[in-house]
Amino acid sequence: MTIQTIDAIPLSHSLDGRALGSSRGKTDTRFTTLVRAETEDGLVGWGEAFAPPRTVATAIDELLADEIVGMDPYQVESLVTDSYTGSLVDYHFADGPFVQSAISGVDIALWDILGKLTGESVTRLLGSGDVSSVVPYASTGYFTSWGQDIEEPMRAAADEEFTAVKLKIGRGVEDDIDRVSTAREILGDETQIMVDFNGNYTPKQARRSVAALEKYDLTWVEEPVPAENLSGYRQLTPELDIPVAAGEAHYGRFEYKQLLDERLVDIVQPNIGRIGGLSEARFIAKLAATENIPVCPHVWNGGVGVAAALHFYASLTTYPHSENVPVLLPFEFDRSPNPLRDELLEDPLDPRGGELAVPDGPGLGIDIDEEALERYRIE
Ligand SMILES: [Mg+2]
């Protein structure tokens, strides 16, 4: 059995001028790239790359397609390794977000095919099978172009019965305190709260903010300093009692190895659509386990990418912990408007009520709404 066709499908949706985002910037567009792979026997697998859509579609067409067509899908785990050795992509261009995002989309599509071929879910193929749901957290509380009050998304998360919520901060300590104290007041003492600085602070600014927020019992603080400021993490992480999470803007096994070996963070957050796919995420999860560092994926993807991350998360082992210590952190579920997440799947994933079911499979366990796909396809 070999892959006969591989298609990259760029998708985009305008938020009609209503921009939202983080302390470092806002976007008025949601985009993604779907990957559709089909075998000679007509099995179709779907993947998703998290990167600017035309860019990554070009990378797939120009750099990968010729190598993928004719490939046995059981060779999926060789994709990233072959990109580094030079047998998949010229090694001068293998590293970095766009090529690895393109590989991610292909990798996920091939895992979906393997699931359909064997009749098993991706979770089971990755080595687990007894986790049928996870606890989702509402990723919300964005900075917006219309100046949305933080109360509104916090009340929405409470109404939807989330038991964990993450909000954006990082525009000054006073504003951080204002947002987090409001969130805690609305969500109550039982809800887990995480905050995301999106790397907008220096280490000293971050230290001041985290000290001021300590009384609000945060589960983690995310990207307190820029991703590339490794010396900042080296300085800050050991000083803080609150776990430091990062990884959404880090790429690949070599960069992650440094994060893990030096314990620059307490939680790593690979994006499955960008890190090199499910295969590379699994590689990194095993590296992380050797350093006793939890993995909790970054998920700001469309429906296919969310499903892939969900299968990956459900497959993680508890090593080195026992079942008596909870190690699985809540799973990210973005609550900002995004039809590429909510309309692309025939059965949209529903995180409300404090529980998120893992699709049964086979494969990713999803069906694509082809009309929705055409609605958001761009040239
Ligand atoms: Mg983040």
Side-chain angles (χ1 to χ4, degrees):
M1 159 144 330
T2 57
I3 302 300
Q4 191 168 52
T5 61
I6 188 92
D7 294 305
I9 305 166
L11 303 174
S12 182
H13 170 71
S14 165
L15 298 172
D16 294 327
R18 288 168 70 86
L20 57 85
S22 73
S23 56
R24 288 225 277 187
K26 305 181 187 76
T27 180
D28 61 4
T29 308
R30 296 305 297 260
F31 56 71
T32 197
T33 310
L34 288 196
V35 176
R36 182 186 186 279
E38 184 168 350
T39 68
E40 58 197 341
D41 300 329
L43 275 181
V44 174
W46 291 95
E48 182 180 330
F50 180 62
R54 293 186 185 91
T55 304
V56 78
T58 300
I60 290 172
D61 292 343
E62 189 171 30
L63 302 177
L64 302 180
D66 286 350
E67 300 295 331
I68 304 300
V69 171
M71 179 183 166
D72 178 349
Y74 277 102
Q75 294 174 317
V76 60
E77 288 200 283
S78 68
L79 285 171
V80 172
T81 301
D82 286 353
S83 75
Y84 290 126
T85 62
S87 57
L88 180 66
V89 181
D90 182 326
Y91 76 91
H92 299 92
F93 311 119
D95 206 2
F98 299 126
V99 171
Q100 293 302 323
S101 293
I103 289 173
S104 301
V106 174
D107 175 277
I108 295 166
L110 298 193
W111 279 103
D112 192 26
I113 283 177
L114 289 178
K116 289 169 178 169
L117 190 60
T118 57
E120 300 285 2
S121 70
V122 167
T123 306
R124 280 180 59 78
L125 291 183
L126 293 175
S128 181
D130 58 354
V131 175
S132 58
S133 68
V134 301
V135 174
Y137 72 81
S139 202
T140 186
Y142 296 97
F143 293 112
T144 67
S145 60
W146 63 98
Q148 184 184 51
D149 199 303
I150 191 65
E151 289 184 21
E152 192 180 323
M154 294 304 109
R155 290 195 196 288
D159 290 345
E160 293 187 329
E161 299 179 47
F162 279 94
T163 57
V165 174
K166 187 170 80 186
L167 64 146
K168 300 294 187 186
I169 63 171
R171 294 195 311 187
V173 175
E174 291 308 312
D175 189 57
D176 296 344
I177 296 169
D178 190 45
R179 291 171 75 83
V180 174
S181 61
T182 303
R184 181 53 83 199
E185 192 178 318
I186 291 171
L187 297 169
D189 291 340
E190 299 301 315
T191 301
Q192 287 185 286
I193 296 180
M194 293 76 76
V195 295
D196 193 351
F197 296 91
N198 288 93
N200 204 34
Y201 281 163
T202 65
K204 285 191 191 300
Q205 288 171 317
R207 190 185 303 120
R208 273 189 59 217
S209 176
V210 174
L213 299 176
E214 196 157 6
K215 62 182 176 184
Y216 299 107
D217 188 24
L218 301 176
T219 299
W220 75 65
V221 297
E222 185 167 317
E223 289 195 314
V225 295
E228 64 275 18
N229 180 202
L230 295 184
S231 63
Y233 285 96
R234 196 172 287 120
Q235 181 183 350
L236 194 61
T237 300
E239 293 179 1
L240 301 180
D241 286 333
I242 299 172
V244 173
E248 66 180 79
H250 293 94
Y251 299 96
R253 62 185 68 170
F254 303 107
E255 202 171 348
Y256 264 77
K257 188 171 188 311
Q258 185 176 10
L259 292 180
L260 296 164
D261 285 354
E262 295 189 42
R263 300 197 70 84
L264 300 181
V265 295
D266 302 300
I267 298 164
V268 284
Q269 301 174 297
N271 187 301
I272 312 303
R274 197 168 40 184
I275 197 70
L278 291 158
S279 305
E280 191 70 355
R282 184 157 73 152
F283 189 108
I284 285 166
K286 288 177 179 175
L287 284 181
T290 66
E291 292 296 333
N292 196 4
I293 292 178
V295 176
C296 189
H298 169 253
V299 191
W300 218 60
N301 305 66
V304 178
V306 178
L310 193 46
H311 280 281
F312 164 70
Y313 204 43
S315 77
L316 293 180
T317 67
T318 57
Y319 176 85
H321 303 278
S322 74
E323 63 186 14
N324 300 319
V325 181
V327 286
L328 273 186
L329 297 160
F331 178 87
E332 181 162 30
F333 207 103
D334 170 30
R335 298 312 285 150
S336 69
N338 184 4
L340 306 179
R341 181 193 60 234
D342 296 335
E343 296 179 23
L344 271 181
L345 305 186
E346 294 272 6
D347 297 310
L349 301 164
D350 185 358
R352 294 171 298 178
E355 190 174 9
L356 177 60
V358 182
D360 276 340
L364 294 174
I366 55 169
D367 292 307
I368 298 296
D369 181 331
E370 302 274 353
E371 283 182 18
L373 184 144
E374 292 307 322
R375 212 158 43 239
Y376 299 108
R377 183 197 285 260
I378 56 173
E379 292 308 318

